[in-house]
């Protein structure tokens, strides 16, 4: 049941929702990011090759993305709170059943499918409800929420290693599953807010000329029904399609640097202990980039799509320069630049999506965007691997990632031009439709 107040508070209880989303990001995305610590343990236990064991994480990532439209649809039909709580229970079930460790196929179904679905049902509505609670401060709120992934990833690495050493990999899975039950608590705190979509639609209609009053009332009457269905027709909107293509190309690039950063450092003769610190640097500057960019975007000095285009350009530049590193210090500096600008991109890309489609269709758009973007995440790493093998140098992977990001920035520029053209067209139409008041009768003018 929705709350009565439909006006986004832009603060107040909204910050409780942001903190809850921060926790959900940490208990989902950060767990997925650090699950590689279990890889060798599971591989040795089942005596399976690396290619077979790696499918556990692959299935998790696939279900995470494929489940996003389902999670968004459920959010539209029910509430974000209900879906997040369901996600927490699914994530716990995946870890608790994975504790049994019957065989590798069992791990695909538990850690892969159930955990992936739990992450999808928790992450998607958590990031979505933050956008509903905020309007002017939406970019800052999204940045703080997404930063939970970085903050938890910094601590989960050593913590998971300690759990494995103390309780074994099975016991560690069960404990982590218990910790993930806190997702349900976060879900309870995500109090339903009557969608701001209806309010925004009403507000935009009230600015129309008096002659359109009848149509305005008719649209407002139909508005609540429209927002209760999942909008699959977004794929026909040029703006959404352009942004989705950007998402595919960006995803093709974003998964490549973390994959080849460690091998590149080894090829430069850098010690393992120093190499591990590169990942810590990456997480810390990523965290800082998200918060700083979110704060800057909330000032509304720069249009969000322009800000995103700039951060994408800076990421591609840092990726092109990173292969020039020839020692630990230079590699750490370029890694820091990449991590920082990656954080700035993550801070605003959800906000740009909301700006592109509007809040009435945001839940539907988020699910579809995640689904479409997943294709880039699946294609990018293998493609980069082929290029690296052909070139015989890990640097080739970074060049590929940088070039793909430059191409993605082109779609953002095209999107911005399309939006500006439509805005100019709307202004022209509004001027044309503005009613012309008749001159008063001549006899009244004489009396005056």
């Amino acid at each position: 049941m929705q709350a009565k107040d439909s006006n986004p508070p832009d603060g107040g209880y909204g910050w409780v929702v942001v903190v809850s989303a921060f926790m959900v990001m940490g208990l989902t995305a950060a767990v997925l990011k650090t699950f590689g610590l279990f890889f060798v343990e599971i591989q040795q236990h089942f005596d399976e090759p690396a290619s077979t064991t790696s499918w556990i994480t692959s299935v998790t990532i696939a279900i995470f993305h494929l489940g996003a439209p389902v999670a968004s649809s459920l959010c539209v039909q029910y509430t974000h709170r209900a879906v997040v709580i369901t996600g927490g229970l699914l994530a716990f079930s995946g870890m608790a059943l994975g504790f049994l460790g019957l065989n590798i196929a069992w791990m695909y179904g538990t850690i892969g499918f159930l955990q992936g679905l739990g992450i999808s049902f928790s992450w998607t509505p958590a990031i979505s409800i933050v956008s509903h609670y905020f309007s002017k401060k939406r970019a800052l709120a999204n940045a703080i929420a997404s930063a939970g992934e970085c903050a938890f990833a910094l601590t989960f690495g050593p913590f998971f290693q300690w759990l494995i050493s103390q309780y074994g990999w099975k016991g560690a899975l069960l404990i982590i599953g218990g910790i993930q039950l806190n997702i349900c608590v976060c879900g309870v705190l995500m109090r339903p807010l009557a969608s701001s979509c209806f309010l925004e639609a009403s507000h935009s209609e009230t600015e129309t000329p008096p002659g359109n009053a009848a149509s305005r009332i008719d649209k407002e009457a139909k508005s609540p029904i429209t927002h209760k269905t999942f909008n699959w027709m977004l794929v026909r909107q040029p703006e959404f399609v352009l942004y989705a293509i950007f998402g595919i190309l960006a995803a093709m690039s974003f998964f490549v640097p973390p994959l080849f950063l460690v091998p590149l450092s080894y090829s430069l003769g850098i010690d393992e202990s120093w190499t591990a610190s590169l990942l810590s640097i990456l997480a810390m500057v990523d965290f800082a980039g998200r918060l700083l960019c979110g704060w800057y975007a909330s000032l509304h000095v720069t249009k969000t799509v322009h800000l995103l285009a700039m951060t994408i350009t800076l990421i591609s530049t840092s990726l092109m320069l990173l292969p020039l590193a020839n020692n630990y210090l230079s590699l750490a500096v370029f890694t820091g630049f990449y991590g920082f600008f990656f954080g700035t991109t993550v801070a605003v890309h959800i906000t740009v999506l909301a700006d592109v489609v509007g809040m009435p269709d945001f839940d539907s758009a988020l699910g579809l965007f995640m689904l479409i973007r997943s294709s880039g995440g699946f294609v990018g790493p293998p493609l980069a691997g082929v290029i690296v093998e052909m070139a015989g140098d890990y640097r080739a992977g970074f060049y590929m990632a940088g070039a793909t990001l430059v191409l993605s920035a082109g779609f953002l520029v095209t999107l911005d031009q399309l939006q500006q053209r439509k805005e100019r067209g709307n202004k022209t139409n509004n001027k044309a439709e503005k009613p012309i008041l008749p001159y008063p009768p001549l006899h009244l003018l004489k009396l005056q």
Side-chain angles (χ1 to χ4, degrees), residues 284-297:
M284 287 187 289
V285 295
D286 182 357
F287 181 82
R290 296 186 193 211
L291 296 183
L292 286 174
C293 188
W295 166 78
Y296 177 78

Side-chain angles (χ1 to χ4, degrees), residues 61 74 189 269 349:
I61 295 173
L74 291 173
L189 293 174
H349 81 287

Side-chain angles (χ1 to χ4, degrees), residues 82-252:
V83 182
V84 171
I85 293 173
T86 303
L89 293 174
L90 286 170
F92 165 73
S93 301
M95 288 295 193
L97 293 174
F99 162 78
L100 300 176
L102 302 181
N103 50 53
I104 197 69
W106 178 263
M107 303 306 290
Y108 293 159
T110 55
I111 303 300
F113 182 81
L114 286 178
Q115 178 70 197
L117 197 62
I119 291 175
S120 185
F121 276 33
S122 304
W123 187 95
T124 308
I127 205 68
S128 173
I129 195 172
V130 170
S131 293
H132 282 287
Y133 260 89
F134 289 83
S135 179
K136 293 180 181 179
K137 300 177 182 177
R138 185 176 293 152
L140 177 61
N142 279 326
I144 294 174
S146 68
E149 175 186 341
C150 307
F152 277 71
L154 282 171
T155 56
F156 274 177
F159 177 57
F160 286 4
Q161 285 180 327
W162 179 80
L163 285 178
I164 293 172
S165 64
Q166 294 294 316
Y167 304 101
W169 68 270
K170 290 185 178 181
L173 287 181
L174 186 61
I175 294 171
I176 294 169
I179 294 173
Q180 285 185 308
L181 278 175
N182 286 287
I183 295 173
C184 299
V185 179
C186 296
V188 171
L189 293 174
M190 293 177 179
R191 188 169 64 195
L193 177 72
S195 178
S196 59
C197 311
F198 173 66
L199 183 70
E200 290 182 8
S202 302
H203 177 71
S204 63
E205 293 296 335
T206 55
E207 294 177 350
T208 57
N212 294 337
S215 65
R216 179 178 74 243
I217 294 172
D218 181 59
K219 288 182 180 179
E220 289 177 1
K222 295 178 180 178
S223 178
I225 299 174
T226 303
H227 301 331
K228 290 183 179 179
T229 58
F230 191 87
N231 187 5
W232 295 96
M233 293 299 102
L234 284 168
V235 293
R236 295 184 178 181
Q237 293 185 11
E239 294 93 337
F240 178 77
V241 172
L242 286 171
Y243 197 69
I245 295 173
F246 154 75
I248 293 173
L249 294 172
M252 286 179 63

Side-chain angles (χ1 to χ4, degrees), residues 5-21:
D5 183 17
S6 63
N7 188 16
D10 251 327
Y13 193 81
W15 294 117
V16 176
V17 174
V18 169
V19 173
S20 300

Side-chain angles (χ1 to χ4, degrees), residues 337-412:
F337 278 120
Y338 162 74
F340 180 83
F341 294 127
F342 175 79
T344 60
T345 299
V346 174
V348 295
H349 81 287
I350 295 296
T351 303
V352 174
L353 177 62
D355 294 339
V356 168
V357 300
M359 288 311 299
D361 290 320
F362 177 70
D363 289 318
S364 302
L366 181 60
L368 287 174
F369 180 75
M370 289 289 294
L371 177 64
I372 296 171
R373 188 184 69 170
S374 65
S375 60
F378 295 136
V379 172
L383 177 61
V386 171
I387 294 174
V388 166
E389 290 179 358
M390 291 175 61
D393 192 340
Y394 289 111
R395 293 178 175 86
F398 292 93
Y399 290 131
M400 169 263 178
T404 307
L405 280 177
V406 171
L407 182 60
S408 72
F411 284 92
L412 288 178

